[in-house]
């Protein structure tokens, strides 16, 4: 781990958080217990699958040969590996090689079944596509003959195409954000998302000729309405493209027949928001429906427009797909039950599909819903309290999600559970800016980011105190990424509300962050604010935590990754220097990775620092 800088006080990390051995073992086990993600399989070789697992103590890529019943750890890197893919034939494994979590790198491939002599040695690894320089990921599509790679650098976005294993050539380039959407099954058409109109939060769709890169068709719904290419129909010669749209103020589904330039909106009579993928014969869609922080799965028959609900447990789906025989495999968890991979078979049987070796993670407590009147409408909050009730009002952690277009859902969270074990109530707030509550709710922060979200958090804070849940003298604001940004902004603009702040990988000095961050984040910021800091200096100053350092009263712990391309370390150092100059109470935890860590022990250290800091400062 990188040495602490002498000028800033380092966070204290005790050996343990709890005197009770059982409680201490339980919270650590929730992080360390072996877990797996939902597998993805090779299109033409379904017996070959990839998934991620933390079984080694680091999140890495694993290959699963279902016919042989064998599992192989593919990657073994100090800071873990997150992105992977399989080509249609399943002969190779692809994974993205960056440096210590900096997200800048290239795709690597190696045989799915390496020869015995070199297993684990990496000698069969090579760049997956020749001619593609290193960059940030901007999508990937792999066919039998055609491979398409999206990259982003400070110069903008580039999409590269390789045919027949030859070095890749540029088929699209623009200074604004763009990414690979989908490749048609016959490998003649490529769909991309692009933001040449200057708003990467609401992209347009373009279809290119996969032979020469020439534009074939464009579709854009206008300002404030995004179109997101999802996938082409999985049938040779079928030019239907599935997209997500938001024409009626929420994410819904659309099928665009590129060949005839006709479209069909998929009308699904469900509240909330939708995404989907095709059934293997293209006769139906597997619809993932999100509403009020829960997920349901459905089959939509394209010929009859019949929607049927799949019988799965209540909770949240992380990923889902349909195999050739109609089996639906999906990742699932709930607030009380740890994540698992399940399979719903055509006969209606639903059972756990993939279980890593070792003891499963201990359960936690269920989340309860609260709807609070806010300045922009009802705010959805999710609340967890220690089992047994009583002892209210409690010290309370307002655990605020990142994004900002993320959302807290009814899913398992070891990080939430440790605070509950420590006697805290935990409150999540799906503030304006969150996804899952319609386009207007998500976009309400544009032009005034940060301050708008905090109005909603304040309303929930008032409710939590007024209802007797939260002790107003012991309220902690905690968040990572955009949640870390909101933490620092809240401490400066709402100092009377918060007694402790914990900010992980935050935006701290917005103007400096814009100068140093990856170009994809700059594009996002321009769309969010309506321009760059040079265009709108007052808006950035108003929404920047460093503007309000002098008003901070609560002690604050800042956690930062040295190699973070999203919330760079330099702008965090600016904020820490300002805290020091103002004589504030703070501590810092630095680690040698990027925007978060894939190392289980590192995550446990960070959580230990968080809880210990809050307990110490709350007395």
């Amino acid at each position: 781990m990188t040495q602490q800088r002498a000028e800033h006080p380092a966070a204290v990390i005790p050996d343990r958080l709890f005197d009770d051995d059982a409680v201490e073992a339980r919270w650590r086990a929730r992080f360390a217990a072996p877990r797996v993600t939902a597998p993805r399989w090779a299109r033409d070789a379904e017996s070959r699958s990839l998934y991620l697992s933390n079984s080694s103590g680091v999140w890495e890529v694993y290959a699963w040969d279902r016919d042989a019943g064998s599992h192989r750890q593919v990657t073994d890197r100090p800071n873990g590996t997150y992105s992977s893919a399989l080509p249609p034939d399943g002969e190779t494994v692809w994974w993205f090689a960056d440096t210590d979590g900096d997200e800048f790198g290239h795709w690597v491939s190696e045989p799915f079944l390496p020869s015995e002599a070199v297993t684990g040695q990496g000698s069969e690894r090579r760049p997956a596509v020749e001619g593609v320089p290193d960059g940030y990921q901007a999508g990937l599509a792999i066919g039998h003959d055609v491979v398409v790679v999206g990259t982003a650098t400070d110069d903008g976005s580039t999409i590269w195409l390789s045919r027949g294993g030859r070095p890749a050539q540029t088929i699209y380039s623009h200074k604004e954000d763009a990414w690979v959407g989908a490749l048609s099954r016959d490998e003649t058409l490529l769909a991309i998302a692009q933001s040449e109109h200057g708003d990467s939060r609401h992209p347009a769709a373009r279809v290119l000729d996969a032979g020469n890169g020439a534009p074939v068709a464009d579709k854009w719904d206008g300002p404030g309405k995004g179109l997101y290419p999802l996938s082409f129909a999985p049938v040779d010669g079928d030019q239907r493209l599935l997209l997500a749209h938001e024409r009626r103020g929420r994410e819904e589904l659309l099928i665009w027949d590129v060949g005839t330039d006709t479209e069909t909106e998929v009308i699904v009579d469900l509240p909330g928001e939708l995404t989907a993928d095709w059934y293997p014969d293209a006769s139906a869609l597997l619809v993932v429906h999100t509403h009020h922080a829960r997920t349901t799965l459905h089959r939509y028959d394209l010929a009859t427009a019949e929607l049927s609900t799949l019988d799965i447990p209540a909770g949240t789906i992380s990923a889902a797909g349909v195999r050739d025989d109609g089996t639906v495999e999906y990742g699932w968890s709930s607030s009380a039950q740890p994540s698992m991979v399940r399979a719903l078979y055509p006969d209606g049987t639903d059972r756990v599909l993939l279980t890593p070796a070792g003891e499963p993670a201990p359960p936690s407590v269920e989340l309860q819903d609260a709807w609070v009147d806010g300045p922009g409408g009802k705010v959805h909050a999710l609340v967890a309290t220690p089992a047994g009730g009583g002892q209210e009002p409690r010290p309370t952690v307002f655990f605020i999600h990142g994004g900002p277009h993320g959302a807290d859902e009814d899913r398992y969270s070891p990080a939430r559970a440790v605070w509950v074990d420590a006697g805290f109530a935990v409150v999540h707030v799906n503030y304006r800016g969150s996804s899952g509550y319609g386009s207007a709710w998500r976009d309400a922060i544009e032009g005034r980011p940060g301050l708008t979200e905090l109005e909603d958090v304040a309303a929930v804070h008032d409710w939590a105190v007024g209802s007797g849940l939260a002790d107003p003298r012991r309220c902690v604001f905690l968040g990572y990424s955009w949640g870390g940004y909101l933490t620092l902004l809240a401490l400066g603009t709402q100092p009377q509300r918060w007694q402790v702040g914990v900010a992980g990988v935050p935006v701290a000095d917005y103007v400096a962050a814009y100068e140093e961050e990856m170009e994809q984040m700059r594009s996002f910021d321009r769309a969010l604010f309506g321009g760059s800091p040079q265009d709108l200096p007052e808006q950035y100053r108003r929404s920047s935590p460093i503007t309000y350092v002098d008003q901070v009263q609560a002690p604050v712990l800042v956690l930062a990754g040295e190699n973070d391309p999203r919330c760079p370390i330099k702008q965090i150092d600016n904020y820490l220097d300002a805290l020091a100059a103002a004589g504030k109470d703070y501590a810092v935890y630095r680690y040698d990775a990027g925007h978060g860590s894939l190392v289980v022990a590192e995550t446990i250290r960070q959580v230990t620092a968080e809880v210990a800091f809050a307990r110490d400062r709350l007395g």
Side-chain angles (χ1 to χ4, degrees):
M1 188 173 63
T2 300
Q3 293 294 316
Q4 299 288 347
R5 299 193 181 189
E7 65 268 26
H8 298 306
V12 174
I13 306 174
D15 291 335
R16 57 190 296 153
L17 288 175
F18 301 99
D19 293 333
D20 188 308
D21 289 342
V23 177
E24 180 70 15
R26 183 177 65 201
W27 86 262
R28 291 176 179 270
R30 290 196 186 100
F31 286 96
R35 287 172 285 163
V36 294
T37 62
R40 291 161 295 123
W41 51 88
R43 189 180 75 205
D44 300 332
E46 284 197 326
S47 64
R48 296 187 171 188
S49 299
L50 294 183
Y51 59 87
L52 300 180
S53 178
N54 67 337
S55 295
S56 70
V58 181
W59 284 95
E60 298 285 7
V61 179
Y62 286 73
W64 176 20
D65 186 335
R66 302 192 189 204
D67 287 345
S70 63
H71 299 261
R72 175 176 75 90
Q73 182 178 333
V74 177
T75 54
D76 184 10
R77 305 195 305 147
N79 284 296
T81 311
Y82 189 77
S83 297
S84 62
L86 278 172
D89 60 12
E91 290 296 316
T92 54
V93 175
W94 292 38
W95 51 271
F96 192 78
D98 64 351
T99 303
D100 294 329
D102 67 359
E103 302 183 47
F104 194 86
H106 58 274
W107 287 95
V108 170
S109 72
E110 62 180 273
F112 186 90
L113 297 174
S115 60
E116 184 176 348
V118 298
T119 299
Q121 303 304 309
S123 59
E124 292 182 299
R125 293 173 182 166
R126 59 179 180 82
V129 184
E130 297 292 340
V132 179
D134 282 4
Y136 298 108
Q137 292 187 64
L140 173 71
I142 313 175
H144 284 286
D145 189 52
V146 172
V147 175
V148 185
V149 180
T151 62
T153 66
D154 286 346
D155 295 325
S157 300
T158 304
I159 294 176
W160 309 79
L161 186 143
S162 168
R163 184 177 294 277
R166 294 187 290 274
Q169 302 294 318
T170 299
I171 61 167
Y172 177 88
S173 181
H174 200 275
K175 64 179 182 179
E176 295 290 349
D177 199 18
W179 59 95
V180 176
L183 182 67
S184 64
R185 179 57 64 96
D186 60 11
E187 303 178 23
T188 62
L189 299 176
L190 171 68
I192 68 170
Q194 52 88 3
S195 57
E196 294 175 9
H197 53 285
D199 182 1
S200 65
R201 285 169 53 85
H202 304 94
R206 176 171 296 169
V207 177
L208 305 176
D209 186 314
N212 56 23
V216 173
D218 280 278
K219 190 175 289 292
W220 184 41
D221 283 344
K225 296 179 180 179
L227 276 175
Y228 308 86
L230 299 175
S231 55
F232 276 100
V235 176
D236 280 338
D238 194 331
Q239 296 188 336
R240 290 178 298 167
L241 175 64
L242 178 65
L243 303 103
H245 72 87
E246 46 187 317
R247 296 171 178 177
R248 287 180 291 273
R250 65 180 185 129
E251 290 188 3
E252 297 179 89
L253 302 169
L254 166 71
I255 295 176
W256 178 21
D257 189 325
V258 178
T260 61
D261 196 22
T262 57
E263 63 177 48
T264 303
E265 290 190 8
V266 179
I267 306 300
V268 175
D269 187 18
L270 291 171
E273 300 195 321
L274 310 170
T275 188
D277 202 356
W278 301 87
Y279 270 72
D281 62 359
S283 66
L285 299 177
L286 177 66
V287 177
V288 182
H289 166 239
T290 301
H291 183 55
H292 293 173
R294 277 88 183 176
T295 309
T296 54
L297 285 179
H298 307 265
R299 184 184 189 276
Y300 181 88
D301 188 286
L302 292 169
T304 65
E306 179 183 358
L307 184 74
S308 53
T309 301
L310 304 186
D311 187 13
I312 63 171
T316 300
I317 304 299
S318 58
V322 189
R323 291 172 66 81
D324 283 348
D325 66 357
T327 299
V328 177
E329 296 183 356
Y330 62 99
W332 174 92
S333 75
S334 70
S335 52
Q337 296 299 318
S339 60
M340 59 189 72
V341 176
R342 305 183 67 91
L344 177 62
Y345 295 92
D347 65 1
T349 303
D350 184 282
R351 60 175 180 263
V352 175
L353 172 71
L354 182 60
T355 304
E359 291 296 318
S364 186
V365 298
E366 293 185 356
L367 287 169
Q368 305 298 320
D369 297 273
W371 290 92
V372 177
D373 289 327
K378 291 282 188 181
V379 183
H380 188 196
L382 299 163
V383 181
T385 56
Q391 299 182 17
E392 293 183 352
R394 290 185 177 275
T396 301
V397 176
F398 289 76
F399 200 154
I400 307 302
H401 71 75
H405 49 275
D408 280 306
E409 297 176 313
D410 183 15
R411 67 173 70 244
Y412 188 76
S413 170
R416 178 198 312 125
V418 67
W419 289 98
V420 175
D421 282 346
F424 289 77
V426 177
V427 179
H428 300 292
V429 182
N430 283 335
Y431 48 74
R432 278 172 289 171
S434 304
S435 295
Y437 300 87
S439 301
W441 188 263
R442 183 201 63 210
D443 294 343
I445 66 173
E446 292 180 355
R448 191 173 175 266
L451 301 171
T452 303
E453 299 93 296
L454 291 181
E455 291 176 351
D456 293 344
V457 177
V460 176
H461 178 268
D462 287 343
W463 164 82
V465 171
S467 68
L469 170 70
D471 182 344
R473 301 164 300 174
R474 296 184 292 171
C475 288
V476 179
F477 201 120
L478 164 65
Y480 272 72
S481 191
W482 197 263
Y485 158 64
L486 293 178
T487 300
L488 298 183
L489 193 62
L491 297 186
T493 63
Q494 301 172 342
Q496 74 285 357
R497 293 183 180 275
W498 312 108
Q499 285 67 57
V500 175
V502 178
V505 291
V507 176
D509 177 349
Y510 222 128
V511 173
Y514 184 89
E515 294 172 353
E516 298 286 332
E517 67 194 3
M518 59 202 293
E519 174 57 31
Q520 290 150 307
M521 299 306 300
R522 293 192 197 115
S523 178
F524 181 89
D525 287 340
R526 291 192 296 271
L528 187 61
F529 281 88
S532 70
Q534 290 72 35
D535 303 323
L536 303 166
E538 177 56 28
Q539 283 90 326
Y540 278 82
R541 187 203 67 80
R542 183 181 61 189
S543 291
S544 182
I546 202 168
T547 302
Y548 308 97
V549 162
D550 288 342
Q551 285 124 265
V552 172
Q553 297 178 14
V556 55
L557 171 65
V558 178
L559 303 98
E562 297 282 0
N563 310 313
D564 190 345
R566 298 170 183 263
C567 298
I569 194 68
K570 180 179 176 181
Q571 53 94 28
I572 292 176
D573 282 334
N574 293 347
Y575 186 85
L576 295 173
D577 290 342
L579 286 176
K584 304 300 182 180
D585 180 7
Y586 72 102
V588 60
Y589 181 97
R590 308 172 80 101
Y591 58 95
D592 192 17
H595 197 64
S597 177
L598 300 176
V599 179
V600 172
E602 174 60 41
T603 302
I604 289 174
R605 282 194 294 271
Q606 292 180 27
V607 171
T608 303
E610 295 171 14
V611 178
F613 183 85
R615 286 167 137 186
D616 177 74
R617 296 315 197 267
L618 290 176

